[in-house]
Amino acid sequence: QVQLQESGPGLVKPSETLSLTCSVSGASIGSYYWTWIRQAPGKGLEWVGYISSMGGTDYNPSLKSRVTISRDTSKKQLSLMLTSVTAADTAVYFCARTQVVGPTGPPYFDYWGPGTLVTVSS
Amino acid sequence: QSVLTQPPSVSGAPGQRVTISCTGSSSNIGAGHAVHWYQQLPGTAPRLLIYGHINRPSGVPDRFSGATSGTSASLAITGLQPDDEADYFCQSYDSSLRTYVFGSGTKVIAL
């Protein structure tokens, strides 16, 4: 059974860096793409970015200058870093296993963590 | 504001059929990019419901079905049940924005 669990500080000050970890069990990190998605309170879903099975990354253009996704295969963990945060970055952050469809894309997300709420406030 | 537009809510009596639309444009659904659907129960993570326009993952009842035509997609729920009360999101890719996009979300209400 694939399970994902996000963790990290629930409160981050404006202008600081948001850092989250996603622990994965039941699947090999090196065999799949993994995606971070966020959801502001009462709002819709926003794709943040992904890390591929080969370790390459792709990010939402609106966040690209501030976001970094990485992985530690030995620890079975994914990481998300978002710099210079503002109140607009307040959201529940989800990590999700990603299935690549192929040329007709886009990928879809078949297993999700429960999410972790990050509030940006002084 | 999402580039994939969904009605804020749809409602139906238990046992009825409801349909959720996902309206896009020539840079996303109309460009042939696949559409996927997710169900989000209150306070939980989204759950994959439909992938590749019409395919159901194992464990998803056949009461849920997807379709695509032109620049729009739709999700149908037949035999509506109280447990189907949730938010539903469509997802695709937008070539102009060069990003994966989600619909604005639809709340399904079982009357």
Side-chain angles (χ1 to χ4, degrees):
Chain A
Q1 176 74 352
V2 178
Q3 292 186 318
L4 297 87
Q5 181 68 55
E6 305 88 349
S7 60
L11 182 64
V12 180
K13 290 183 168 55
S15 79
E16 294 190 345
T17 296
L18 178 161
S19 295
L20 297 176
T21 297
C22 174
S23 298
V24 178
S25 62
S28 170
I29 285 185
S31 299
Y32 293 92
Y33 283 48
W34 302 89
T35 296
W36 286 93
I37 295 159
R38 69 181 184 178
Q39 185 173 33
K43 302 296 185 181
L45 299 163
E46 180 180 30
W47 176 71
V48 175
Y50 70 62
I51 185 164
S52 75
S53 55
M54 300 297 289
T57 54
D58 193 14
Y59 303 123
N60 188 320
S62 69
L63 300 171
K64 193 170 186 176
S65 62
R66 299 194 292 130
V67 66
T68 303
I69 295 174
S70 59
R71 67 184 185 179
D72 186 329
T73 54
S74 64
K75 292 184 177 179
K76 294 189 173 183
Q77 289 181 339
L78 312 163
S79 295
L80 170 69
M81 289 182 56
L82 185 65
T83 63
S84 305
V85 298
T86 70
D89 295 311
T90 294
V92 174
Y93 286 76
F94 300 99
C95 57
R97 194 179 78 167
T98 303
Q99 296 285 3
V100 178
V101 176
T104 58
Y108 57 90
F109 315 113
D110 60 351
Y111 287 94
W112 297 61
T116 186
L117 173 63
V118 178
T119 301
V120 178
S121 175
S122 55
Chain B
Q1 190 160 351
S2 178
V3 297
L4 300 180
T5 302
Q6 299 179 233
S9 66
V10 297
S11 61
Q16 283 190 332
R17 180 180 189 270
V18 298
T19 302
I20 302 167
S21 60
C22 173
T23 303
S25 67
S26 58
S27 62
N28 41 69
I29 300 175
H33 298 302
V35 178
H36 317 305
W37 290 90
Y38 302 86
Q39 175 195 59
Q40 186 175 31
L41 298 170
T44 70
R47 165 201 180 195
L48 179 66
L49 213 55
I50 298 286
Y51 66 95
H53 301 291
I54 61 171
N55 304 290
R56 285 184 306 277
S58 173
V60 174
D62 58 6
R63 300 188 297 104
F64 296 91
S65 62
T68 302
S69 179
T71 58
S72 294
S74 61
L75 174 72
I77 308 173
T78 57
L80 187 66
Q81 298 180 0
D83 288 351
D84 297 333
E85 284 205 335
D87 292 324
Y88 293 80
F89 296 91
C90 57
Q91 178 228 328
S92 187
Y93 177 77
D94 191 279
S95 305
S96 295
L97 297 175
R98 298 183 62 189
T99 186
Y100 305 107
V101 290
F102 289 91
S104 46
T106 298
K107 182 177 293 294
V108 168
I109 302 167
L111 298 172

